[in-house]
Amino acid sequence: MRSVSLLLVAPLLAAGCAADDDWGADLDDAPDASWDGKADGVTRRVVSASSVEALDGDLSSLTPPCETADAFHSCEYYLSPSSALGDYGPIGAYGPLGTLGPLGSNAWNPSYWISAAGDWSEWSDSVEGPLSESGPLGPDGPIGDVAYFETLPSINDWSKQLQAGGVWTVLGPLGPLGALGPLGPLGPLGGHGYDTDAGGRYVHNGRTVRTIRAPWQDEPFELVEMYDEATAKAVPPDTSFVALGEIRGQSDTYPAKSQRDQWVTVLVVPEKQLDNFDLTIRDSAGRVLATSNSRSYIDWIELQAPAGGRMSIEVSLASSGHFLSKTYRLYVVGSGSRFFETDIRGAHQQTL
């Protein structure tokens, strides 16, 4: 039953066109770089679920200020653990990034059926779809200059904080829910049409494919693979993937490397709501760059990475309320260099 026909899947995807690159063509080009801002004069910032939690509901330090979220609520209302950053929000176990969402290997996950279609990338290249200039990655999409830099912050004070460096940035267009994440055209549901191997790599004509190019974009887009745990720990690192893991010991550690100056968002989503996972990110020398061990929110970290910045991402189990397997989903999403700067400031930000 799983051998679903491409004729059934393709019309639903409305795929688009993009050129593919070989495994290493655009990855690992950047030499390893130090995270020390003194070396290049750049002040790099980090935001996390823990740093937002530490605000204790006080947004008075924010610049620009955040006073109104909608006609009936202030911005502080959305800091509640029962709101968007907590267990019952879109980054929780039962949200679109969890097991009941479109990603996974279960029969109810659309990515399960899309992967059964094999390699249909040549057909994808022949039509205009989500990977085309008119799609969500293009200049008129949600990460286009007008939508991101003008429209989004003009909606209200709260929506401004969805930008990089904001209080709710993990929910915004540069995070795992956005166009560059696994739910967008670069991920397992996307319009690239590449086949996947057993570990989750995208393959085409016997080669592993990790990036695509677009004529309107100077730098390539990194595809968002959904790896099993072993593959995620073994592949050459980038900043665009999902790892399906399970804690069996103290912690799991995954490599990542930023190919450019950019914001990198890391999110760990429990597959069972009674689990609480923490995050720690270290540089190549083992120095801790950031931690997130929130008791109120799902744990996430967003940091400004240098080109060539190597990271190790550690997932650990803080607590559990059941005897079943302690499984999780680790999401890593790079923003690209267009979004490296931010005009948002506040006590929720720390410097690296």
Side-chain angles (χ1 to χ4, degrees):
M1 183 176 179
R2 189 170 183 266
S3 57
V4 62
S5 170
L6 175 59
L7 295 177
L8 297 177
V9 175
L12 298 176
L13 298 175
C17 55
D20 62 274
D21 291 317
D22 175 62
W23 172 275
D26 294 290
L27 294 174
D28 218 24
D29 287 343
D32 291 0
S34 169
W35 289 77
D36 185 0
K38 296 179 181 178
D40 53 14
V42 176
T43 299
R44 297 186 179 88
R45 304 175 189 277
V46 59
V47 185
S48 69
S50 288
S51 70
V52 172
E53 183 180 50
L55 294 175
D56 197 25
D58 181 6
L59 298 176
S60 61
S61 66
L62 289 187
T63 303
C66 191
E67 297 174 353
T68 59
D70 56 59
F72 304 101
H73 301 104
S74 66
C75 291
E76 284 83 358
Y77 176 83
Y78 291 100
L79 290 174
S80 165
S82 61
S83 186
L85 296 176
D87 288 338
Y88 297 100
I91 57 174
Y94 300 135
L97 299 175
T99 54
L100 298 180
L103 303 174
S105 57
N106 301 296
W108 61 80
N109 302 128
S111 66
Y112 173 89
W113 298 98
I114 293 174
S115 67
D119 189 341
W120 44 276
S121 58
E122 292 185 6
W123 178 87
S124 172
D125 290 343
S126 69
V127 299
E128 184 173 352
L131 286 172
S132 69
E133 189 170 4
S134 59
L137 300 176
D140 296 325
I143 59 171
D145 287 349
V146 173
Y148 181 83
F149 293 107
E150 298 179 23
T151 305
L152 181 64
S154 71
I155 296 172
N156 55 42
D157 296 344
W158 186 87
S159 64
K160 170 67 178 178
Q161 297 295 320
L162 293 172
Q163 290 183 327
V167 173
W168 291 275
T169 179
V170 69
L171 307 174
L174 303 183
L177 296 168
L180 295 168
L183 302 178
L186 300 171
L189 304 171
H192 47 79
Y194 297 122
D195 197 4
T196 56
D197 67 12
R201 301 178 186 88
Y202 295 123
V203 292
H204 176 62
N205 290 337
R207 298 185 308 165
T208 301
V209 184
R210 302 190 70 186
T211 62
I212 58 173
R213 287 192 176 275
W216 68 89
Q217 178 86 350
D218 292 335
E219 59 194 29
F221 290 109
E222 294 178 6
L223 293 170
V224 188
E225 301 90 349
M226 187 166 60
Y227 295 133
D228 61 28
E229 183 175 330
T231 303
K233 293 177 178 179
V235 296
D238 63 8
T239 52
S240 183
F241 63 90
V242 182
L244 306 179
E246 177 182 352
I247 294 290
R248 297 178 177 87
Q250 295 294 320
S251 62
D252 291 330
T253 301
Y254 301 88
K257 180 179 179 181
S258 179
Q259 302 303 312
R260 50 194 62 89
D261 293 327
Q262 63 178 342
W263 289 91
V264 177
T265 304
V266 180
L267 165 71
V268 58
V269 176
E271 291 198 330
K272 303 173 185 68
Q273 196 174 46
L274 295 177
D275 287 333
N276 178 20
F277 294 98
D278 292 342
L279 286 172
T280 300
I281 300 181
R282 305 175 189 270
D283 65 12
S284 58
R287 178 175 68 97
V288 173
L289 296 171
T291 60
S292 183
N293 53 7
S294 172
R295 294 186 177 183
S296 301
Y297 306 135
I298 299 295
D299 281 292
W300 56 272
I301 296 170
E302 183 187 69
L303 45 72
Q304 284 176 301
R310 286 190 179 271
M311 296 167 272
S312 61
I313 302 170
E314 180 181 301
V315 180
S316 57
L317 181 66
S319 63
S320 179
H322 62 87
F323 58 87
L324 302 173
S325 59
K326 311 305 187 287
T327 54
Y328 61 86
R329 298 176 173 210
L330 179 70
Y331 293 89
V332 181
V333 181
S335 70
S337 60
R338 288 175 49 227
F339 304 101
F340 184 68
E341 303 295 338
T342 181
D343 61 349
I344 298 173
R345 297 290 184 268
H348 67 295
Q349 294 179 350
Q350 301 167 345
T351 56
L352 294 174

